[in-house]
Short mmCIF file of all heavy atoms in Angstrom, two decimals:
data_model
loop_
_atom_site.label_atom_id
_atom_site.label_comp_id
_atom_site.label_asym_id
_atom_site.label_seq_id
_atom_site.Cartn_x
_atom_site.Cartn_y
_atom_site.Cartn_z
N GLU A 126 6.33 129.57 153.12
CA GLU A 126 5.62 129.87 151.87
C GLU A 126 6.36 130.83 150.98
O GLU A 126 6.19 130.82 149.77
CB GLU A 126 4.24 130.45 152.22
CG GLU A 126 3.18 129.36 152.33
CD GLU A 126 1.83 129.92 152.70
OE1 GLU A 126 1.69 131.16 152.76
OE2 GLU A 126 0.93 129.11 152.94
N THR A 127 7.19 131.67 151.60
CA THR A 127 7.90 132.68 150.81
C THR A 127 9.40 132.53 150.98
O THR A 127 9.88 131.74 151.78
CB THR A 127 7.52 134.09 151.29
OG1 THR A 127 7.98 134.19 152.65
CG2 THR A 127 6.03 134.33 151.24
N LYS A 128 10.11 133.33 150.20
CA LYS A 128 11.57 133.34 150.30
C LYS A 128 11.99 133.71 151.73
O LYS A 128 12.89 133.08 152.31
CB LYS A 128 12.13 134.36 149.31
CG LYS A 128 13.63 134.48 149.36
CD LYS A 128 14.19 135.50 148.36
CE LYS A 128 15.67 135.74 148.66
NZ LYS A 128 16.30 136.72 147.78
N GLU A 129 11.33 134.70 152.32
CA GLU A 129 11.68 135.16 153.65
C GLU A 129 11.50 134.04 154.66
O GLU A 129 12.32 133.82 155.56
CB GLU A 129 10.85 136.39 154.07
CG GLU A 129 11.25 137.68 153.35
CD GLU A 129 10.96 137.64 151.84
OE1 GLU A 129 9.92 137.09 151.43
OE2 GLU A 129 11.81 138.15 151.08
N ASP A 130 10.36 133.30 154.53
CA ASP A 130 10.11 132.16 155.42
C ASP A 130 11.25 131.15 155.32
O ASP A 130 11.74 130.64 156.32
CB ASP A 130 8.81 131.44 155.01
CG ASP A 130 7.58 132.28 155.25
OD1 ASP A 130 7.72 133.30 155.94
OD2 ASP A 130 6.51 131.92 154.72
N LEU A 131 11.65 130.90 154.09
CA LEU A 131 12.65 129.88 153.85
C LEU A 131 13.98 130.29 154.52
O LEU A 131 14.61 129.50 155.20
CB LEU A 131 12.87 129.70 152.35
CG LEU A 131 14.00 128.70 152.00
CD1 LEU A 131 13.55 127.29 152.26
CD2 LEU A 131 14.45 128.83 150.55
N ILE A 132 14.35 131.57 154.33
CA ILE A 132 15.63 132.02 154.87
C ILE A 132 15.60 131.95 156.39
O ILE A 132 16.57 131.52 157.02
CB ILE A 132 15.89 133.45 154.38
CG1 ILE A 132 16.03 133.29 152.89
CG2 ILE A 132 17.14 134.07 155.05
CD1 ILE A 132 16.66 134.06 152.02
N LYS A 133 14.45 132.32 156.97
CA LYS A 133 14.32 132.24 158.42
C LYS A 133 14.46 130.77 158.89
O LYS A 133 15.14 130.48 159.84
CB LYS A 133 12.94 132.79 158.82
CG LYS A 133 13.02 133.80 159.94
CD LYS A 133 11.70 134.49 160.16
CE LYS A 133 10.94 133.84 161.30
NZ LYS A 133 9.55 134.30 161.42
N ALA A 134 13.78 129.91 158.13
CA ALA A 134 13.83 128.47 158.50
C ALA A 134 15.23 127.93 158.38
O ALA A 134 15.70 127.20 159.24
CB ALA A 134 12.84 127.70 157.62
N VAL A 135 15.93 128.29 157.29
CA VAL A 135 17.27 127.76 157.08
C VAL A 135 18.20 128.26 158.17
O VAL A 135 19.02 127.52 158.69
CB VAL A 135 17.80 128.15 155.66
CG1 VAL A 135 19.27 127.80 155.55
CG2 VAL A 135 17.01 127.43 154.59
N ARG A 136 18.01 129.52 158.57
CA ARG A 136 18.84 130.03 159.67
C ARG A 136 18.56 129.22 160.95
O ARG A 136 19.48 128.78 161.62
CB ARG A 136 18.57 131.51 159.93
CG ARG A 136 19.53 132.05 161.00
CD ARG A 136 19.31 133.48 161.43
NE ARG A 136 20.40 133.87 162.33
CZ ARG A 136 20.50 133.50 163.61
NH1 ARG A 136 19.55 132.74 164.13
NH2 ARG A 136 21.53 133.87 164.35
N ALA A 137 17.28 129.02 161.23
CA ALA A 137 16.92 128.32 162.46
C ALA A 137 17.43 126.88 162.44
O ALA A 137 17.70 126.31 163.50
CB ALA A 137 15.40 128.32 162.61
N SER A 138 17.61 126.32 161.26
CA SER A 138 18.05 124.93 161.18
C SER A 138 19.52 124.77 161.51
O SER A 138 20.01 123.68 161.75
CB SER A 138 17.81 124.38 159.77
OG SER A 138 18.80 124.90 158.89
N GLY A 139 20.24 125.89 161.53
CA GLY A 139 21.68 125.84 161.82
C GLY A 139 22.51 125.34 160.68
O GLY A 139 23.66 124.95 160.86
N LEU A 140 21.94 125.33 159.46
CA LEU A 140 22.67 124.74 158.33
C LEU A 140 23.86 125.59 157.89
O LEU A 140 23.76 126.82 157.77
CB LEU A 140 21.71 124.56 157.14
CG LEU A 140 22.30 123.99 155.87
CD1 LEU A 140 22.85 122.59 156.10
CD2 LEU A 140 21.29 123.98 154.74
N VAL A 141 24.97 124.92 157.71
CA VAL A 141 26.14 125.56 157.07
C VAL A 141 26.50 124.67 155.90
O VAL A 141 26.08 123.53 155.81
CB VAL A 141 27.33 125.67 158.05
CG1 VAL A 141 26.96 126.49 159.27
CG2 VAL A 141 27.83 124.29 158.47
N GLY A 142 27.30 125.22 154.97
CA GLY A 142 27.67 124.45 153.78
C GLY A 142 28.31 123.13 154.18
O GLY A 142 29.32 123.11 154.87
#
Side-chain angles (χ1 to χ4, degrees):
Chain A
E126 269 178 6
T127 63
K128 179 180 169 181
E129 287 66 39
D130 293 346
L131 176 74
I132 297 204
K133 230 170 97 190
V135 170
R136 185 185 187 282
S138 76
L140 179 62
V141 301

